[in-house]
Amino acid sequence: MRTRMIGDVEVSAIGLGGMPMSIEGRPDRARSVATIHAALDAGITLIDTADAYHQFADEVGHNESLVAEALSTYSGDTSGVLVATKGGHLRPGDGSWTLDGSAAHLKEACEASLKRLGVEAIGLYQFHRPDPTVDYAESVGAVRDLLDAGKIRMAGISNASPDQIMQARDILGGRLVSVQNQFSPAFRSSEPELELCDDLGIAFLPWSPLGGISRAAGLGSTFKAFQEIADGRGISPQQVCLAWELAKSEVVVPIPGASRPKTILDSAKAVDVTLTAEELALLDGAGA
C-alpha cells in the first residue's frame, strides 16, 4: 500500500470513510465489522469517523463504537492505524443534521469520543462544520485547547473555505494538519482549498470522493470519460476516480465510504493505478 502523510503520521494513500456503516440504510453490524477488517487486510491505515455518524438520537457515536469494536477484534496489528473523528455536527434523529460549534460542546464531544474509541488521545480530531451562530475562532480555539491538553494528537478542520483554512492555521499556531472537504467529479468547487493545502503542505481529505452514497455506483454512467478509461484498463471507474484524485497532489488522501468488503477492496486498488498525462487531462475536462 502506498502511503502519504497527515502531519507526522504516515497513512495509507486511501482511507476508509465510516459514515455508510452507521446512518440510514446501514448494514448489520457483522458486515460493517467485516468491511473494516477487509480494509485493514488491504493495508488501509486511516479510518475516518465522527460522533454524528448515527441514525437515531439515542445512539450518538454509533460509528465510533463500531470502529473501536472492529479494531479490538482484528487479528492483526492495529498499532499503525490512525482513527480520525470529528465533532460539531448533531443528528436529532429525524434525518436532519444540525450544528453546535460552541467550545463547550466540542470539548464535551471530544471527551465522549475518547471514551467510545477507548483511547487516551484521539489521533486526529476535526471540527466537523462551521456553525454560523458561533464565531469560527471560538470553535477552532476549542480544538486548539484540546490539542494543548493532550486530548488529541493532531488537529484538522472540515468543510472549510480558504480563509477559514488560513484562520484555523493561525489559531492552531501552525499545527493544522488536515482539511476534509467534499471533492469528486461531481463536486469540484473545493479545488481552491485543495490547491491551498498543497501549497501549505496540509493533508487534503476528499469526502464523498466517488460522488456520495447514492451516486458512487453510477459514477461511470454519469462521467463517461472515467468509464472509458476504466474499460480500457480493465478496472472500475471508481478506481480511476480515486487515482485521478491521488494524482492531484501528494497531500490528497481520499476517504471513500464503504459498507461492503468488496467495495473498499476495490477502492484500495486505486493506489496501484498510474494515469497518463493524457488520461488526466481528459478526466480534468470531463463533465456530467
Side-chain angles (χ1 to χ4, degrees), residues 25-282:
R26 66 193 183 198
D28 61 56
R29 206 165 184 88
R31 195 178 92 191
S32 293
V33 170
T35 300
I36 297 171
H37 286 178
L40 297 171
D41 287 341
I44 288 177
T45 59
L46 172 64
I47 301 176
D48 182 79
T49 181
D51 61 358
Y53 292 168
H54 63 92
Q55 181 175 355
F56 305 109
D58 62 352
E59 57 172 18
V60 175
H62 179 279
N63 195 250
E64 290 177 324
S65 298
L66 182 64
V67 169
E69 177 186 338
L71 290 173
S72 69
T73 57
Y74 185 63
S75 60
D77 180 17
T78 60
S79 61
V81 176
L82 176 63
V83 176
T85 193
K86 298 181 285 293
H89 247 318
L90 301 90
R91 301 208 73 200
D94 59 1
S96 66
W97 297 74
T98 58
L99 298 166
D100 189 344
S102 66
H105 171 75
L106 289 171
K107 290 178 181 180
E108 290 174 2
C110 180
E111 291 289 350
S113 292
L114 280 164
K115 292 177 182 177
R116 284 188 291 267
L117 292 170
V119 296
E120 294 183 359
I122 293 170
L124 172 60
Y125 195 71
Q126 305 156 98
F127 176 41
H128 205 151
R129 185 181 290 273
D131 180 347
T133 69
V134 177
D135 186 72
Y136 195 66
E138 176 184 336
S139 302
V140 179
V143 178
R144 177 201 58 214
D145 292 347
L146 292 167
L147 188 60
D148 290 342
K151 300 287 186 180
I152 66 177
R153 299 191 190 283
M154 295 188 294
I157 55 175
S158 184
N159 301 297
S161 69
D163 286 345
Q164 288 168 334
I165 293 171
M166 296 304 295
Q167 184 181 2
R169 183 170 177 258
D170 181 59
I171 293 169
L172 289 163
R175 295 175 293 173
L176 179 67
V177 302
S178 65
V179 173
Q180 184 179 148
N181 276 20
Q182 185 176 7
F183 186 80
S184 71
F187 192 95
R188 305 193 187 197
S189 59
S190 284
E191 193 94 42
E193 290 84 2
L194 191 164
E195 292 174 357
L196 178 58
C197 286
D198 181 62
D199 290 341
L200 298 174
I202 295 171
F204 183 86
L205 315 180
W207 64 264
S208 288
L210 301 176
I213 295 173
S214 63
R215 301 182 68 175
L219 185 150
S221 299
T222 307
F223 299 95
K224 303 296 186 182
F226 288 82
Q227 187 66 57
E228 291 169 7
I229 293 172
D231 290 342
R233 288 173 166 265
I235 60 177
S236 70
Q238 290 78 17
Q239 284 183 42
V240 173
C241 178
L242 294 172
W244 168 69
E245 290 168 1
L246 287 169
K248 289 281 180 185
S249 166
E250 286 294 316
V251 304
V252 173
V253 184
I255 45 172
S259 62
R260 296 176 183 274
K262 68 177 183 180
T263 52
I264 193 57
L265 291 176
D266 183 78
S267 291
K269 294 176 183 176
V271 299
D272 299 318
V273 178
T274 302
L275 299 169
T276 66
E278 291 77 11
E279 288 172 328
L280 291 171
L282 179 63

